[in-house]
Amino acid sequence: MNATMLSPMETLGVFLAALLVVPIAFGFCLRTPRLVVTAFIVVLFIFSSSTWGQIEVENTIYDRGTGLFTFPLLALLLIVAGVAAAVRKLANPHNPTLAVPLGRYFAAFGFMMLAHVGLGLMSGIDILDILHNNGIINLIYMLVFVAMVTMAFNTEADKRKLLLLFLGLAAIRAVFGLGRYVLFGGDTANPYKNFESLDIKIFYFDIADNFVAALAAFCIAWLLTSPGVRLSLFKRMALYGLLALEIAAVALSFRRSSLIGLALMFGLLFLRLPWRRRLLVSALGLAALSVAMAIFFEHRLQFNTGDKGGMLASLLYDVAPDKGINQSRWYELYAAAQSMGNNWLFGLGSWGTYEGDRAILDYHFGKLDFVHSGFGHIVLKTGVAGLALFLAMLGAFASCYLRSRNRLSGNSRLLADAGFAGFLFWIPTLLVGTPLIEFRTMLLIGLTLAMPFVAAGVEPYRVRSYAMA
């Protein structure tokens, strides 16, 4: 049931409830922003959002409220919290701890979203089609979350608690996944088994769950290899065990983008360590990735090409040049490009769709309003202009990290490194995944982008200067 199906009395009841609840929620977000952001992080780390691959699709926590409201409750709370953060900034415009990183890009994408709403309404497009998740609304949510995270955590104690929160939640999630994998056949969202009839059980299918595990693995490996960290034997052994579990979670999820992302994260760790420590990281990394790739090939990739071509051919089975455009993963991008017409500069709008062979694109179930590429999705909806803006924003983020990292130490350096490593993890997904249409994924990308700014927050003038970058 949606809002248009409510009776007059039900509509009045919802309106009165909103009059009571919204001011309370706003006041809570205004007074305790750190607690609100922490609650969001807990939800994002613990609760999966992916239902693709399930035989019986069920609502997730990210869908709650859509039966009564137009938007999910979490999205509405994010909007309220974002407005509260804006009010805090306006009330204290010169407070450096309230600096909004990437502010100019926030303003630019906000203007773009408003332009889409205006142009769409003038063209007779329903407002819900403009603000649908398959548009660019999740990009706006991501930027709101970047601002919220950066404003909420300012002190060294905050950073330590944030890192412990990451590790604690990731450990809980990994233990849950392990129990489900061993005792209950793994993740129920398993398209390989349910759709392709492959004899495979998986740890997690949701790319966001893979990110949580990979982020924890990176932080643990950083602690184990950093010259300045002293750990007792018990703590070191416990961390090695958790590291093995987190890497296993990624490997047994059988997501190529996750495995490549994890390799990129450990590549950053390798480059950032003194050369003597690189031997330990090389040994750990090669051992972990070798085991992961062996498991990956044995349990999934062997089904792609059988005994022909080996591991590399299996890994690239759906993108190999010899398959032709109609049989490869790139067909939907080709079809979307063919549908752009003269709209390459500003795209087809948040509501835009493309045309293609629906038999080849049957996995879209008739909804040709997104593509399996975050960058491609941005071009489809906002054109080359939107992609250039998005790349410039990522460049500003990278610039912040590169300029601040060597000046940081301790938890601040770990937080900055983890943020940039997280960004590297998301690159394969931005290339060939669907992050822009996923609320949870985009907020976790926002968390990743916020981490170097939080790390540099002990020197407020720097945060302010990065915000202008």
Side-chain angles (χ1 to χ4, degrees):
M1 182 174 63
N2 54 45
T4 60
M5 297 173 61
L6 297 177
S7 69
M9 289 303 297
E10 288 174 325
T11 302
L12 178 61
V14 170
F15 177 73
L16 293 175
L19 287 179
L20 293 173
V21 172
V22 171
I24 296 174
F26 180 81
F28 190 76
C29 295
L30 193 63
R31 291 183 61 85
T32 58
R34 188 178 299 108
L35 184 59
V36 172
V37 175
T38 300
F40 265 102
I41 293 173
V42 171
V43 170
L44 294 171
F45 272 55
I46 295 297
F47 296 99
S48 179
S49 64
S50 178
T51 58
W52 170 253
Q54 286 186 336
I55 296 176
E56 296 182 5
V57 177
E58 56 190 19
N59 286 337
T60 68
I61 192 172
Y62 305 97
D63 303 313
R64 300 299 181 189
T66 52
L68 190 60
F69 304 103
T70 301
F71 299 98
L73 288 175
L74 276 178
L76 294 174
L77 179 58
L78 182 69
I79 293 170
V80 171
V83 172
V87 170
R88 289 176 64 231
K89 175 61 178 174
L90 292 173
N92 301 277
H94 302 296
N95 188 339
T97 63
L98 299 181
V100 180
L102 309 176
R104 63 174 61 179
Y105 302 101
F106 194 164
F109 278 113
F111 174 79
M112 185 177 291
M113 186 75 256
L114 290 176
H116 281 198
V117 170
L119 292 172
L121 291 176
M122 287 190 293
S123 301
I125 306 297
D126 190 285
I127 185 66
L128 299 184
D129 291 331
I130 302 172
L131 300 179
H132 194 271
N133 272 357
N134 286 5
I136 62 169
I137 190 65
N138 286 326
L139 180 58
I140 306 300
Y141 292 151
M142 181 201 78
L143 290 167
V144 170
F145 199 57
V146 170
M148 288 171 54
V149 172
T150 308
M151 290 183 183
F153 301 100
N154 308 123
T155 68
E156 284 298 318
D158 289 341
K159 297 169 192 178
R160 182 175 184 277
K161 291 177 182 177
L162 190 60
L163 288 168
L164 289 175
L165 181 67
F166 291 164
L167 292 177
L169 293 174
I172 292 171
R173 188 68 179 155
V175 170
F176 166 79
L178 178 64
R180 185 175 59 175
Y181 182 85
V182 173
L183 301 175
F184 302 104
D187 196 344
T188 56
N190 186 348
Y192 313 122
K193 180 179 181 180
N194 296 332
F195 295 165
E196 301 176 31
S197 300
L198 303 180
D199 186 19
I200 296 177
K201 63 177 180 178
I202 59 177
F203 212 98
Y204 295 124
F205 182 74
D206 195 332
I207 192 70
D209 285 318
N210 284 252
F211 167 75
V212 170
L215 180 66
F218 177 86
C219 291
I220 293 167
W222 194 100
L223 291 170
L224 289 171
T225 57
S226 178
V229 177
R230 298 291 182 266
L231 298 169
S232 66
L233 179 61
F234 174 78
K235 289 183 178 179
R236 186 170 291 273
M237 296 307 296
L239 287 177
Y240 272 116
L242 185 56
L243 176 62
L245 178 57
E246 300 294 358
I247 292 176
V250 176
L252 294 173
S253 295
F254 304 115
R255 301 295 299 267
R256 287 173 295 175
S257 55
S258 298
L259 200 59
I260 294 171
L262 183 65
L264 292 175
M265 295 176 83
F266 275 83
L268 174 68
L269 181 61
F270 177 83
L271 293 175
R272 282 303 187 182
L273 285 174
W275 68 270
R276 291 181 179 178
R277 291 274 174 164
R278 291 181 180 179
L279 295 176
L280 176 59
V281 173
S282 298
L284 284 174
L286 287 175
L289 290 175
S290 296
V291 172
M293 285 301 298
I295 295 172
F296 201 78
F297 179 74
E298 180 181 355
H299 289 278
R300 182 191 169 191
L301 296 184
Q302 63 167 324
F303 292 107
N304 298 329
T305 59
D307 297 326
K308 300 177 181 179
M311 184 177 292
L312 182 61
S314 297
L315 191 65
L316 304 177
Y317 74 98
D318 58 349
V319 295
D322 60 349
K323 294 185 72 66
I325 191 67
N326 288 348
Q327 296 180 323
S328 76
R329 189 183 182 96
W330 309 121
Y331 173 73
E332 62 178 329
L333 292 177
Y334 171 78
Q338 293 293 104
S339 301
M340 291 291 290
N342 296 321
N343 299 298
W344 280 95
L345 184 58
F346 294 111
L348 300 178
S350 295
W351 61 91
T353 61
Y354 60 97
E355 294 298 327
D357 189 324
R358 292 181 180 266
I360 298 176
L361 299 170
D362 58 348
Y363 53 90
H364 275 259
F365 294 102
K367 295 182 179 180
L368 301 184
D369 54 358
F370 71 94
V371 293
H372 281 75
S373 170
F375 296 129
H377 186 86
I378 292 174
V379 173
L380 178 69
K381 303 295 182 174
T382 65
V384 176
L387 179 62
L389 188 61
F390 186 73
L391 293 176
M393 181 183 69
L394 296 182
F397 157 81
S399 176
C400 165
Y401 169 73
L402 294 174
R403 286 188 291 176
S404 66
R405 196 270 177 184
N406 290 331
R407 302 187 184 100
L408 301 174
S409 61
N411 291 329
S412 295
R413 176 171 285 198
L414 171 54
L415 195 63
D417 284 347
F420 194 75
F423 164 67
L424 294 178
F425 175 90
W426 288 118
I427 288 178
T429 301
L430 286 168
L431 288 171
V432 298
T434 57
L436 268 292
I437 67 173
E438 300 166 4
F439 179 83
R440 184 193 186 198
T441 299
M442 290 304 290
L443 260 60
L444 286 173
I445 293 177
L447 178 64
T448 297
L449 298 181
M451 287 163 66
F453 294 104
V454 173
V458 289
E459 298 168 277
Y461 70 91
R462 277 202 190 111
V463 176
R464 188 163 52 230
S465 66
Y466 295 147
M468 298 303 293

